[in-house]
Amino acid sequence: MAAAPPSPRRREAGLREPRPPARPGRPPAGAARSHRGAGLRASRWAGPGWAAPRSAAQHRRLSLRRGGWTRVPVAASGDGRLRNQMGNLLKVLTCTELDQGPNFFLDFENAQPTDGEREVWNQISAVLQDSESMLADLQAYKGAGQEIRDAIQNPNDIQLQEKAWNSVCPLVVRLKRFYEFSLRLEKALQSLLESLTCPPYTPTQHLEREQALAKEFAEILHFTLRFDELKMRNPAIQNDFSYYRRTISRNRINNMHLDIENEVNNEMANRMSLFYAEATPMLKTLSNATTHFVSENKTLPIENTTDCLSTMASVCKVMLETPEYRSRFTSEETLMFCMRVMVGVIILYDHVHPVGAFSKTSKIDMKGCIKVLKEQPPDTVEGLLNALRFTTKHLNDESTSKQIRAMLQ
């Protein structure tokens, strides 16, 4: 609407007609001129009760966030809310919270040891060469459930007792092999951690320079999660071992000695019982091994170990979400391998780090990692999501954000 011409009396006195008050949603008259002089735009003014930025510098910073001035209530512009907004913006500008971590390709398919890696690489390879046979044996484990039920239901039938016992004994010997392999794996992991965390290199430099050792670390984690997935789906393992221990105890009371006790004595049976009582026994072994490594190496800062784990998680996440990197995988199995490794190091980090993987101060982008998993077919990653839900230590801490908890529900 055009402004009314000045009245004759004001014209004679050389005075200008006063400007009408600004309508809601528009800047006060003259604001555009003054802000143009400061090189700013006068757009996005709010109506009454709102204030524009107070300085040109503030205007420029807030313009980066919303393309114009931010609506800040006048009543709140002097309190902590504005400071919080500015603090969050500075974090974005300096990338302290959005840093995606190391961005390099870790060749899980073709990495070969250098001369400096070869000694440790050979030691770990000697352990890992048995991993596939362990998984095959576990997958073929059928248990002696029927024989045990028949023996329990017919306690006076000697033949059924012997049949159950003869079925269980070879299975217990197999379970002992799995347990002993976990001890070898524990030592292998500690050797790898020693190599991948020692000065003068940072964990990122170690992983980038010593990719063959990083690959072996990944293979240990991959085996661990596969083993535990199979174990959780096979209740016969604990049923068989429980029957074995009950029978041994009964025979000991009757002063009877069985040949298998030379193979699995009482001390070994106790340790095996603790191992198989865990829902994820191999993962528990690795967690204990990592914690033990930190406590034994007091001269080595704990950050060297936790940074090694967080770096590996970040590298896996970046490889999974970056099409250029994913296109280098020659097999779909490598994709699953990478996801298992990411979940494995997250769990180890959560057990070793004082505040865990889910805290805001964590160096692992948990939201990004969970998002990567949820973008895969549900039936392929449900076991990995369950591992994060049920085998981590700090998920239910108060410091864990509600958003992360909701993502894992």
Side-chain angles (χ1 to χ4, degrees):
M1 183 173 65
S7 64
R9 185 177 299 173
R10 293 188 68 84
R11 203 166 39 237
E12 290 172 4
L15 300 176
R16 293 183 180 180
E17 192 76 1
R19 292 190 175 112
R23 288 189 297 169
R26 291 196 178 184
R33 187 182 303 111
S34 63
H35 283 283
R36 274 198 299 272
L40 308 177
R41 291 187 298 142
S43 60
R44 298 202 179 185
W45 275 79
W50 297 81
R54 296 180 176 182
S55 67
Q58 184 180 335
H59 182 285
R60 283 194 296 273
R61 287 195 296 268
L62 293 179
S63 292
L64 286 172
R65 190 166 187 175
R66 298 194 179 179
W69 291 326
T70 301
R71 298 186 175 192
V72 183
V74 172
S77 62
D79 66 12
R81 283 185 240 178
L82 179 58
R83 288 195 298 273
N84 288 341
Q85 288 186 0
M86 294 304 298
N88 290 336
L89 179 61
L90 288 174
K91 287 177 183 176
V92 173
L93 296 178
T94 58
C95 294
T96 56
E97 285 196 340
L98 301 182
D99 183 15
Q100 295 299 309
N103 191 350
F104 62 87
F105 184 77
L106 218 170
D107 194 352
F108 285 140
E109 294 180 331
N110 304 304
Q112 295 298 318
T114 61
D115 292 340
E117 297 171 85
R118 193 167 298 280
E119 182 179 354
V120 176
W121 187 87
N122 286 337
Q123 293 174 7
I124 310 303
S125 292
V127 177
L128 287 172
Q129 68 181 1
D130 295 329
S131 62
E132 288 301 321
S133 66
M134 293 290 165
L135 291 172
D137 279 354
L138 180 57
Q139 195 155 17
Y141 191 101
K142 300 300 181 186
Q146 186 59 52
E147 291 85 348
I148 292 172
R149 282 192 293 274
D150 291 342
I152 292 173
Q153 291 168 3
N154 301 277
N156 297 321
D157 191 322
I158 302 300
Q159 287 185 336
L160 289 178
Q161 306 304 313
E162 289 181 352
K163 183 179 180 181
W165 181 250
N166 292 333
S167 299
V168 164
C169 285
L171 296 174
V172 170
V173 173
R174 191 188 302 186
L175 294 178
K176 181 190 175 187
R177 286 183 58 236
F178 298 155
Y179 170 71
E180 290 176 333
F181 186 74
S182 76
L183 301 180
R184 295 171 62 198
L185 212 60
E186 181 178 9
K187 291 180 179 178
L189 178 66
Q190 291 180 335
S191 295
L192 278 174
L193 287 174
E194 187 175 347
S195 298
L196 294 172
T197 60
C198 63
Y201 300 120
T202 66
T204 300
Q205 290 170 331
H206 273 298
L207 291 173
E208 196 166 8
R209 292 164 58 96
E210 299 160 15
Q211 295 218 354
L213 294 185
K215 180 174 180 285
E216 287 191 318
F217 185 17
E219 287 175 351
I220 288 176
L221 293 165
H222 183 243
F223 163 82
T224 295
L225 268 72
R226 289 170 68 198
F227 182 95
D228 286 346
E229 285 173 11
L230 291 172
K231 187 266 179 185
M232 283 193 291
R233 294 202 296 264
N234 197 336
I237 290 173
Q238 283 180 276
N239 293 337
D240 294 346
F241 197 69
S242 296
Y243 178 80
Y244 170 80
R245 297 204 72 196
R246 288 197 305 271
T247 306
I248 287 289
S249 297
R250 188 167 60 247
N251 289 335
R252 194 176 294 114
I253 291 172
N254 296 328
N255 293 320
M256 295 175 61
H257 179 80
L258 302 172
D259 290 340
I260 194 172
E261 289 191 81
N262 297 326
E263 183 84 27
V264 182
N265 59 29
N266 191 50
E267 181 185 352
M268 173 62 74
N270 287 337
R271 285 186 276 143
M272 288 173 61
S273 181
L274 292 173
F275 177 76
Y276 287 110
E278 296 287 342
T280 53
M282 285 290 178
L283 200 53
K284 180 67 173 177
T285 298
L286 295 194
S287 297
N288 290 343
T290 309
T291 304
H292 184 71
F293 173 80
V294 170
S295 62
E296 286 293 305
N297 293 272
K298 298 187 185 300
T299 58
L300 187 72
I302 187 174
E303 289 78 17
N304 286 37
T305 304
T306 55
D307 285 357
C308 176
L309 300 173
S310 62
T311 300
M312 179 79 89
S314 298
V315 169
C316 289
K317 181 182 79 74
V318 170
M319 288 167 60
L320 288 166
E321 67 187 6
T322 307
E324 178 190 349
Y325 287 160
R326 285 183 62 161
S327 66
R328 298 193 201 179
F329 298 157
T330 60
S331 167
E332 283 295 316
E333 277 300 309
T334 308
L335 180 68
M336 196 66 200
F337 180 95
C338 198
M339 286 189 286
R340 281 200 181 100
V341 173
M342 181 180 73
V343 170
V345 288
I346 287 172
I347 295 170
L348 290 186
Y349 182 98
D350 192 60
H351 279 263
V352 175
H353 196 279
V355 297
F358 301 96
S359 168
K360 291 179 181 178
T361 60
S362 168
K363 292 189 177 180
I364 297 178
D365 175 15
M366 285 304 305
K367 292 178 186 176
C369 292
I370 297 170
K371 182 174 178 289
V372 164
L373 292 175
K374 292 213 160 186
E375 288 173 350
Q376 313 305 318
D379 57 331
T380 64
V381 295
E382 189 60 27
L384 298 179
L385 291 170
N386 283 336
L388 291 177
R389 291 178 186 121
F390 305 121
T391 65
T392 47
K393 185 178 179 181
H394 294 279
L395 175 60
N396 294 317
D397 288 1
E398 291 183 3
S399 58
T400 302
S401 73
K402 292 180 180 178
Q403 185 178 359
I404 290 178
R405 289 184 194 175
M407 292 176 75
L408 285 174
Q409 284 180 351

